[in-house]
Amino acid sequence: MRLGLDAAESARISLSAIMANKGRGALTALGIIIGIVAVITTMTAANGLANTFRESFSAVGTDVVYVSRMPWVMVNDFFLYRNRPRIDLEESEQLSVNLRGRAIVNPTINMNRPVKYRSNTVESAEIIGTTERQVMVSSVVPRDGRFLMPFDVQYRRFVCIIGDEIRDRLFGDTNPLDREIYIGRNVFRVIGVMPKQGGSAFGGPNFDLQVFVPVTTFEKLFGGRTAGRDVNIAVKAPTQEALADLEFEVIGEMRKIRKLRPAEKDNFSINKLDTLVDAYNNVMGVVLLVGLAVTGISLFVGGVGVMNIMFVSVTERTREIGIRKAIGARRRSILMQFIFEAGVICLFGGLVGILLAWLLTLLIDATLMPASISPGIILLALLISILVGVIAGIVPAYKGARQDPIEALRYE
Amino acid sequence: MSASREGAMAPAAGHSLAISDVVKTYVMGSTEVNALRGVSLNIGRNEYVAIMGPSGSGKSTLMNVIGCLDTPTSGTYLLEGQSVSELSDDELADIRNRQIGFVFQTFNLLPRANVLHNVELPLVYAGVPRAERRKRAEEAIARVGLGDRAHHKPNELSGGQRQRVAIARALVGNPSIILADEPTGNLDSKTGEEIMQMFDDLHAAGQTIILVTHEDNIAAHARRTIRLKDGLIESDVTTGVQVRAGHGAPGG
Ligand SMILES: Nc1ncnc2c1ncn2[C@@H]1O[C@H](COP(=O)(O)OP(=O)(O)OP(=O)(O)O)[C@@H](O)[C@H]1O
Ligand SMILES: [Mg+2]
């Protein structure tokens, strides 16, 4: 009860004190405002990055390792990798035979080519040579029509499955099935359309711009190893848990296929989702570090500013403190009054910060990546700003609370 | 007219306050100032006391001790039978809140708060619920004749009106004693006289009042006049008939 009355009185006093010095309060809150904008934007950006990442690389699969000439994330100098022999379809076939019953092996080759249907062209389509096993690795199946069949691959047929954006840009409302499109100078028949998947952030692929063709046809037309294009071999483990063991088996089999001696290093790379996750975590780490550093510094500076203003406020109102003490205010009441005032200034800063961060988020959402502020982050921002205020207010408030009433009353 | 010296009297029950051998020494660096050098004094309920004396004689210091704003360096002080010479800050704050009503020379109102808020402030710190607080504050404001000014700020009031607000604030908590240190010091003589009329009314209604003044015509309102000199009681003169037995038999 008593505490409640104190709080109400504290609120009344601090609001009137702040209103009497609006400009000062606003300036003081600036540091807090920047800090809150920083903390919200950091969290929102981190969230946005996480979502985008998940979307972009969901197709990579958590139970798949990829054998490639190059690592996805370069650890060493590029020149150390570039003398490696290219991987070809024979090696893929060999690996498939060696791992039979233990894993699904699917080779892919890709390149960018324009695709055309009548007068419509998509310049930057990603043409992927693959096999019928693709759907077992990625588990994405066509929305319309069918995927590749073994005979498409075996007979090097000129058929293709197109991504959703390709379909949209080439065909609009027309049904693309059984239509013929140009890939480069060659005519392929559309036998399937993939569902819309999105992607394309983080340098990840845009799945909707992909066109799948039989890998054999691809090799015949555009060349595999000889034309300077790498084959990537996807190896899918039966379960996610089996992936770690499978990785070692794959390395062993590849070394056997390539007849590497024990002393020789691998001349191929094993890639998997973890590689990307690690890279992503590094990016995220930097984002968080920078964001939190900016947050921390501005909240600290803001807090010091508030503390400073509170010292001024306490000194200016020494006489008021004397009056209040003379008529019976306890230390705690005075303490609360000033802590409350500091808290309100910071809360005001927090609210303005939230507003600015919200605008900034709208901007990020419109330009960089999908972003939104979650209620949890708003709550966190409010808590942080109040906490900064309370901490910044404690020392000045304590100074005010322990004033001697007579001296305070005598203060001019 | 009768007069008496009370220097050696022991504190007795039934007194509103009983001070005995109170010494207050201010230490300033290497020098010591003896503001009070052994003051003993009993004041009963419903007394009306004026404290007089030359500047620097210790009047304000004595008032501060009586008002529990300050604690004596030595000596004892019983307020309503309770020893208050060795209480903590917060305990003193509670005593001031419940038992003392201050009226200052410089009014000491909160400038940003309106009359009503100023007057109800002691009740806020006493933990009185809002509705009751408001009611009692309005009553006190009406009692000092400012019922129509409850929502004015102090700077919208005249000096005399401000002092009335201060009196209302001193009254509102039903204190045992009202202490006024030169309450008319900042007012012209006509307004000062009006304020003294108000104290007279309060006294007539049963309130104990102690005031400090330099002016004889102000002191004349009181029933008892204590003169201080150099931190000691020089004389303690009781006039009038309203003084109760037990604090200084008439004599001389
Ligand atoms: N806080 C203090 N520190 C040091 N000395 C003080 C302090 N307060 C009062 N004194 C000294 O104590 C003595 C008594 O002071 P006090 O204020 O009680 O006098 P007073 O009788 O009220 O005088 P006046 O009529 O001028 O108000 C003075 O010598 C004063 O200088
Ligand atoms: Mg004085």
Side-chain angles (χ1 to χ4, degrees), chain B residues 59-60 181-182 212:
Chain B
K59 304 182 297 292
S60 293
D181 194 345
E182 305 195 37
V212 169

Side-chain angles (χ1 to χ4, degrees), chain B residues 3-189:
Chain B
S4 76
R5 295 292 292 263
E6 294 203 333
M9 263 198 72
H15 289 132
S16 197
L17 63 90
I19 283 173
S20 142
D21 279 329
V22 159
V23 172
K24 181 71 196 183
T25 307
Y26 292 107
V27 181
M28 302 185 68
S30 55
T31 59
E32 290 192 349
V33 180
N34 294 307
L36 297 176
R37 296 194 292 159
V39 172
S40 297
L41 180 65
N42 291 342
I43 293 178
R45 298 219 171 82
N46 195 214
E47 278 210 61
Y48 194 172
V49 182
I51 298 175
M52 299 190 76
S55 187
S57 56
K59 304 182 297 292
S60 293
T61 307
L62 180 59
M63 288 293 260
N64 290 339
V65 170
I66 292 174
C68 294
L69 279 171
D70 211 349
T71 47
T73 310
S74 69
T76 58
Y77 174 20
L78 297 183
L79 176 64
E80 297 293 336
Q82 184 189 5
S83 172
V84 293
S85 39
E86 273 151 7
L87 294 182
S88 73
D89 266 19
D90 281 350
E91 287 166 331
L92 287 175
D94 283 348
I95 300 257
R96 290 195 294 271
N97 186 247
R98 278 185 272 110
Q99 315 233 29
I100 311 285
F102 284 104
V103 178
F104 300 94
Q105 179 176 356
T106 51
F107 319 131
N108 281 341
L109 301 174
L110 297 188
R112 275 196 298 270
N114 65 20
V115 167
L116 188 64
H117 185 196
N118 265 292
V119 173
E120 70 177 359
L121 205 55
L123 303 180
V124 169
Y125 291 124
V128 175
R130 192 183 176 81
E132 188 190 339
R133 206 162 77 196
R134 179 121 317 180
K135 187 171 135 278
R136 281 169 63 181
E138 276 165 357
E139 280 166 12
I141 292 167
R143 206 166 154 195
V144 298
L146 286 176
D148 55 339
R149 293 285 149 79
H151 296 283
H152 287 234
K153 295 275 173 67
N155 63 6
E156 296 160 2
L157 301 175
S158 72
Q161 287 171 329
R162 288 184 210 185
Q163 198 59 303
R164 284 161 191 250
V165 175
I167 291 171
R169 182 180 65 188
L171 282 178
V172 76
N174 271 329
S176 324
I177 312 170
I178 288 186
L179 297 177
D181 194 345
E182 305 195 37
T184 61
N186 277 15
L187 303 174
D188 62 57
S189 53

Side-chain angles (χ1 to χ4, degrees), chain B residues 169-226:
Chain B
R169 182 180 65 188
L171 282 178
V172 76
N174 271 329
S176 324
I177 312 170
I178 288 186
L179 297 177
D181 194 345
E182 305 195 37
T184 61
N186 277 15
L187 303 174
D188 62 57
S189 53
K190 183 170 161 289
T191 317
E193 202 48 51
E194 283 169 22
I195 292 295
M196 287 318 295
Q197 194 56 53
M198 195 142 277
F199 281 117
D200 292 352
D201 293 346
L202 291 176
H203 174 245
Q207 187 70 54
T208 310
I209 297 170
I210 306 174
L211 59 86
V212 169
T213 183
H214 281 118
E215 296 167 61
D216 288 326
N217 59 331
I218 298 293
H221 286 262
R223 301 288 188 275
R224 178 178 171 192
T225 303
I226 295 169

Side-chain angles (χ1 to χ4, degrees), chain A residues 36-310:
Chain A
I36 291 302
V37 169
V39 71
I40 295 179
T41 313
T42 304
M43 303 301 272
T44 305
N47 250 341
L49 287 178
N51 287 338
T52 319
F53 177 84
R54 222 169 291 129
E55 227 170 70
S56 303
F57 294 105
S58 56
V60 170
T62 51
D63 51 0
V64 183
V65 294
Y66 294 82
V67 185
S68 321
R69 186 162 78 109
M70 299 288 182
W72 286 345
V73 180
M74 300 274 175
V75 184
N76 293 312
D77 204 316
F78 171 75
F79 298 102
L80 293 176
Y81 303 114
R82 76 177 211 176
N83 291 330
R84 288 175 168 185
R86 293 180 185 280
I87 295 170
D88 61 23
L89 288 178
E90 272 161 46
E91 286 173 325
S92 167
E93 207 40 57
Q94 194 62 54
L95 190 63
S96 181
V97 170
N98 292 2
L99 290 173
R100 176 156 296 148
R102 288 182 282 166
I104 296 160
V105 176
N106 182 54
T108 59
I109 321 176
N110 50 349
M111 63 172 190
N112 288 316
R113 274 294 142 92
V115 291
K116 248 191 282 189
Y117 174 70
R118 294 190 179 155
S119 60
N120 298 334
T121 309
V122 175
E123 286 297 335
S124 54
E126 184 187 6
I127 316 300
I128 301 174
T130 183
T131 76
E132 74 283 357
R133 283 164 282 174
Q134 170 85 28
V135 288
M136 291 189 269
V137 173
S138 74
S139 66
V140 182
V141 296
R143 189 190 64 190
D144 294 321
R146 61 169 178 89
F147 202 74
L148 298 174
M149 299 285 191
F151 58 85
D152 293 318
V153 180
Q154 195 181 344
Y155 297 111
R156 306 183 178 199
R157 301 182 70 207
F158 284 72
V159 290
C160 67
I161 298 95
I162 58 177
D164 186 67
E165 190 173 336
I166 304 266
R167 174 202 59 76
D168 186 52
R169 281 162 64 178
L170 291 189
F171 294 99
D173 294 333
T174 321
N175 180 3
L177 290 183
D178 282 334
R179 309 256 170 195
E180 293 187 325
I181 63 171
Y182 277 95
I183 299 178
R185 285 196 228 126
N186 303 95
V187 177
F188 283 74
R189 189 164 53 86
V190 177
I191 58 168
V193 181
M194 298 303 271
K196 188 166 177 57
Q197 295 172 75
S200 90
F202 280 110
N206 183 341
F207 303 111
D208 299 331
L209 282 174
Q210 291 176 338
V211 177
F212 296 101
V213 299
V215 69
T216 45
T217 318
F218 187 107
E219 196 191 29
K220 184 170 116 192
L221 289 179
F222 312 115
R225 174 153 113 169
T226 46
R229 259 178 283 277
D230 292 327
V231 174
N232 289 298
I233 309 172
V235 185
K236 182 184 160 78
T239 65
Q240 204 172 314
E241 292 70 41
L243 192 68
D245 288 342
L246 181 64
E247 185 180 336
F248 285 108
E249 286 180 55
V250 170
I251 294 171
E253 296 299 345
M254 277 304 290
R255 289 183 67 91
K256 244 192 272 170
I257 291 165
R258 292 201 152 174
K259 301 187 172 61
L260 296 178
R261 273 165 298 169
E264 283 177 298
K265 284 189 183 163
D266 294 347
N267 54 8
F268 54 91
S269 288
I270 299 287
N271 292 307
K272 52 188 170 162
L273 187 62
D274 285 356
T275 323
L276 292 177
V277 170
D278 288 348
Y280 158 80
N281 283 342
N282 287 341
V283 172
M284 188 68 112
V286 172
V287 168
L288 284 178
L289 199 73
V290 170
L292 293 182
V294 172
T295 303
I297 291 170
S298 38
L299 285 181
F300 179 78
V301 171
V304 168
V306 170
M307 189 186 291
N308 198 32
I309 280 303
M310 289 314 295

